[in-house]
Amino acid sequence: MKINAQTIVWFDKPVKEQKLTATLGSNKKLLLNDALQSKLPENIQFGFDMSSRTLLIVGTQDSKYKKRKMNTVFGLAPAIADLGMKLPVSFDFTYDKQNNWWVGQIILRKKNSEYDTEQILALYKPLADKIFKKMAKTTPPEDRRQNIGLAFCEAAKQYTPDRGNFEEYLTKHTEYLVKMANHAHVKYVQMESKSIDAAFHNDKSQNFNLYSVIKYNDLNYVKIENKMLDEQFERQLTKSELSVYKMLLNEYTIEEISENLNILPEKIESLAKSVGIKRKKFYLS
């Protein structure tokens, strides 16, 4: 068969796109790699957003901010330290056309082929706080914090790039494990009354309760969590405090409560104040 030179298609090796990175070293100097430096204008200014943990670079007309390969960025090292992270820290940059600036996301560091747990715990503390406030409120606060930390550590060990975006993976993994831990907690807690998380049997081997039939993806999960939380709070009240509390929830006035319970209004106010103090301590702990 004769080869026609006109119909031959030659395959090129794909050009590997260079990453645009910068590293804040132990010497507290910010080193720009060649690819990033070539993209930046002659005069640049740096900024750091604490909430999103991103380093920003923007062009400026001020010649005192001349671009250098090795830059001293005053305040950046202390900001990183305030987040609980250790140097060196590297950033991966992309260009934001809408705002005309370069956005640098912190690159997750690896130790012995695993992602650095200490860095992840510091970097994603806002996520941990969000999960802490949102989920598993029937689990004691100390245990809840510990469960979130353990979930973060496990996610750091198990994550691989093929699992997708790290933060999304971390969120789903942590929420699932925290939910599981909370399920185990309420399942074995013995309550005085048959509430939703109270065991139906005194025999510890029979640990079934209403919580056992709740699916993890139940849309009413938060509502059920709040109900259990309310029940726990009410058990901390005295009989008189509970009576006053229930009537206040039903929008009775002090005078009406006094008349119904045959207690002086001054005593009702004192009980209501006591309930308020306990409620604030319980729900904000």
Side-chain angles (χ1 to χ4, degrees):
M1 182 180 292
K2 188 176 180 180
I3 297 175
N4 185 350
Q6 302 294 326
T7 60
I8 297 174
V9 177
W10 298 100
F11 299 104
D12 291 329
K13 185 177 181 180
V15 178
K16 188 175 181 180
E17 189 175 347
Q18 286 186 301
K19 286 196 171 186
L20 311 176
T21 63
T23 299
L24 183 66
S26 302
N27 60 357
K28 300 181 182 179
K29 301 280 188 180
L30 185 68
L31 175 65
L32 311 180
N33 77 343
D34 293 337
L36 176 59
Q37 191 178 15
S38 67
K39 297 279 187 180
L40 297 174
E42 286 303 311
N43 301 314
I44 56 175
Q45 191 169 3
F46 297 94
F48 188 73
D49 180 23
M50 292 289 286
S51 61
S52 62
R53 274 77 166 148
T54 52
L55 179 62
L56 303 171
I57 303 177
V58 65
T60 177
Q61 298 297 322
D62 196 335
S63 59
K64 72 178 180 181
Y65 296 112
K66 192 166 182 64
K67 174 180 64 177
R68 293 180 174 83
K69 186 173 181 63
M70 184 76 75
N71 299 268
T72 300
V73 184
F74 295 103
L76 180 56
I80 295 295
D82 287 344
L83 295 176
M85 288 187 287
K86 296 178 181 178
L87 301 180
V89 172
S90 296
F91 300 86
D92 185 17
F93 282 86
T94 55
Y95 185 64
D96 182 345
K97 293 181 180 178
Q98 184 176 355
N99 294 297
N100 295 320
W101 56 29
W102 295 86
V103 181
Q105 301 285 348
I106 292 177
I107 300 173
L108 294 179
R109 186 168 52 226
K110 281 191 173 184
K111 282 186 177 180
N112 301 323
S113 75
E114 291 182 357
Y115 287 98
D116 186 347
T117 303
E118 185 179 354
Q119 186 193 43
I120 289 173
L121 288 170
L123 184 59
Y124 291 100
K125 186 178 182 300
L127 174 61
D129 292 340
K130 182 180 178 181
I131 294 174
F132 176 83
K133 292 176 182 177
K134 182 179 74 171
M135 296 185 62
K137 294 180 181 179
T138 50
T139 300
E142 299 81 5
D143 294 344
R144 210 183 323 159
R145 282 285 185 197
Q146 186 177 34
N147 291 337
I148 292 171
L150 291 172
F152 270 37
C153 293
E154 186 173 305
K157 291 182 179 180
Q158 295 183 0
Y159 175 75
T160 52
D162 61 298
R163 294 178 184 266
N165 178 273
F166 178 77
E167 186 169 348
E168 291 178 4
Y169 171 78
L170 180 64
T171 302
K172 290 180 181 178
H173 185 81
T174 303
E175 287 183 346
Y176 174 76
L177 290 185
V178 167
K179 199 178 289 186
M180 290 285 287
N182 189 64
H183 175 70
H185 169 74
V186 298
K187 193 172 183 180
Y188 293 103
V189 170
Q190 297 293 323
M191 297 295 183
E192 292 178 1
S193 62
K194 291 293 183 283
S195 65
I196 193 168
D197 54 348
F200 284 154
H201 306 277
N202 292 326
D203 182 0
K204 291 184 178 180
S205 65
Q206 302 290 330
N207 51 29
F208 176 82
N209 53 39
L210 289 179
Y211 200 94
S212 301
V213 302
I214 300 171
K215 294 181 180 178
Y216 291 127
N217 60 353
D218 195 326
L219 294 177
N220 292 321
Y221 183 84
V222 174
K223 184 177 179 181
I224 294 166
E225 283 281 327
N226 290 335
K227 183 179 185 301
M228 289 189 291
L229 200 63
D230 291 341
E231 288 177 351
Q232 285 189 8
F233 167 67
E234 289 173 5
R235 290 189 185 92
Q236 297 187 6
L237 303 178
T238 65
K239 189 175 180 180
S240 297
E241 287 173 340
L242 182 59
S243 298
V244 171
Y245 178 58
K246 290 287 189 183
M247 296 187 77
L248 286 172
L249 289 179
N250 288 308
E251 300 183 353
Y252 281 79
T253 65
I254 296 292
E255 291 73 19
E256 289 171 333
I257 298 173
S258 175
E259 185 178 342
N260 276 274
L261 299 181
N262 196 25
I263 301 176
L264 291 173
E266 293 79 9
K267 179 63 175 176
I268 299 296
E269 290 180 4
S270 176
L271 289 169
K273 184 177 180 181
S274 176
V275 170
I277 293 171
K278 288 183 178 180
R279 194 169 190 271
K280 185 176 181 181
K281 183 178 179 181
F282 180 82
Y283 284 99
L284 297 182
S285 62

